[in-house]
Amino acid sequence: MSKLFRAVILGPPGSGKGTISERVASSFGLQHLSSGDFLRENIAAKTEAGVLAKTYIEKGALVPDHVMTRLMLPRLEEMTRHSWLLDGFPRTLAQAEALNSACELDVVISLNIPLETLKERLRHRWIHPASGRVYNMCFNPPRVQGVDDISGEPLIQHEDDKPEALVARLRHYKDVAKPVIDLYRAKGILHMFSDTETDRIWPYVSSLLSAKIPTDLADAQRATTH
Ligand SMILES: Nc1nc2c(ncn2[C@@H]2O[C@H](COP(=O)(O)OP(=O)(O)O)[C@@H](O)[C@H]2O)c(=O)[nH]1
Ligand SMILES: Nc1ncnc2c1ncn2[C@@H]1O[C@H](COP(=O)(O)OP(=O)(O)O)[C@@H](O)[C@H]1O
């Protein structure tokens, strides 16, 4: 079997992790696993973890580490035969250490985006809750205002993108992320991208992954998508 490829994308809320992950998934055939989407699925399904997580997310707080790792690690175990890109997990050093003991990462992409840009983007972010599709009223608006392009269902704003929760989230992110970034830098797998525009970052991410993803894996994925 060809070697599997494991990547993590780090960055504050609104940094474009979801947007870049979707591009990676469609260009390189990696499975995109978003902790935020997985939490929202669990909230919608009213699982034990979902009910617990909801109380934290509504306050703009992080979900406790033990809840996150108990949720995410079994999900990754289901994916042992796939190459994946993990988005939104790990977010803390404890989560990064738990992930470390479960698998070995090939690449960590870290998005470094100015605070003002983040605030502006998140104010305009709308999502389709059933699919997790993300829109931005300026950057990638839906074809019809307020409505999902594919299902025609209404778009909503995350509770945690509303101004009250937003500032707390961005402030907290920085403190918590620093040791995670330091850990991956020390391991020599960190790749940092700084810009205000996803479209300017994407070509660099794309060429990094083209260089890192094993050729036999890329060939196998191309074969399945044609
Ligand atoms: N104006 C602008 N908006 C962007 C850009 N990249 C992403 N967005 C939007 O910013 C918001 C946050 O992006 P998202 O990928 O959800 O970030 P995440 O929170 O890190 O997963 C979404 O509404 C995106 O559509 C960009 O380069 N410019
Ligand atoms: N790894 C994680 N650890 C703790 N909380 C998390 C994690 N991932 C997601 N969450 C919670 O879910 C919320 C939504 O996550 P996400 O969709 O990734 O939002 P964003 O991309 O805007 O940060 C976060 O604000 C946080 O409360």
Side-chain angles (χ1 to χ4, degrees), residues 63-81:
V63 177
D65 289 332
H66 67 278
V67 178
M68 281 316 294
T69 49
R70 229 177 35 219
L71 199 66
M72 295 305 291
L73 294 188
R75 181 79 185 87
L76 292 178
E77 263 169 42
E78 293 167 12
M79 305 278 298
T80 46
R81 290 163 169 275

Side-chain angles (χ1 to χ4, degrees), residues 11-15 17-18 34-37 39-40 43 53 56-58 60-65 68 72 87-92 95 122 125 158 160-161 166 169 173:
S15 58
K17 299 184 296 296
S34 153
S35 63
D37 288 352
L39 282 168
R40 283 183 284 275
I43 292 171
Y56 293 91
I57 294 176
E58 279 173 352
L62 288 181
V63 177
D65 289 332
M68 281 316 294
M72 295 305 291
D87 154 15
F89 182 90
R91 209 131 164 169
T92 65
Q95 292 176 17
L122 291 176
R125 174 161 75 174
H158 286 166
D160 55 4
D161 280 348
L166 189 59
R169 273 207 305 155
Y173 175 84

Side-chain angles (χ1 to χ4, degrees), residues 47-144:
T47 64
E48 198 187 333
V51 170
L52 196 58
K54 188 168 190 269
T55 58
Y56 293 91
I57 294 176
E58 279 173 352
K59 285 185 293 199
L62 288 181
V63 177
D65 289 332
H66 67 278
V67 178
M68 281 316 294
T69 49
R70 229 177 35 219
L71 199 66
M72 295 305 291
L73 294 188
R75 181 79 185 87
L76 292 178
E77 263 169 42
E78 293 167 12
M79 305 278 298
T80 46
R81 290 163 169 275
H82 291 89
S83 292
W84 42 249
L85 172 65
L86 198 47
D87 154 15
F89 182 90
R91 209 131 164 169
T92 65
L93 188 57
Q95 292 176 17
E97 283 164 351
L99 179 62
N100 238 350
S101 54
C103 67
E104 197 177 329
L105 298 173
D106 297 293
V107 163
V108 174
I109 296 164
S110 172
L111 303 176
N112 183 25
I113 314 293
L115 185 67
E116 281 312 307
T117 308
L118 299 175
K119 282 202 224 159
E120 191 55 26
R121 283 183 189 177
L122 291 176
R123 276 196 320 123
H124 297 291
R125 174 161 75 174
W126 289 77
I127 62 141
H128 175 240
S131 66
R133 273 185 288 279
V134 176
Y135 297 89
N136 180 288
M137 291 315 162
C138 316
F139 178 65
N140 62 337
R143 282 197 288 272
V144 177

Side-chain angles (χ1 to χ4, degrees), residues 164-223:
E164 315 79 68
L166 189 59
V167 176
R169 273 207 305 155
L170 291 176
R171 196 180 306 127
H172 192 49
Y173 175 84
K174 242 189 158 151
D175 300 338
V176 173
K178 192 174 178 304
V180 179
I181 291 173
D182 290 345
L183 174 78
Y184 292 133
R185 186 180 288 117
K187 282 178 168 289
I189 55 172
L190 185 81
H191 298 263
M192 174 92 80
F193 301 89
S194 306
D195 206 299
T196 54
E197 293 299 327
T198 296
D199 287 345
R200 281 203 295 263
I201 289 176
W202 169 243
Y204 292 97
V205 172
S206 176
S207 56
L208 169 73
L209 295 181
S210 299
K212 294 276 181 193
I213 292 181
T215 325
D216 54 346
L217 172 65
D219 288 346
Q221 269 149 5
R222 258 195 297 280

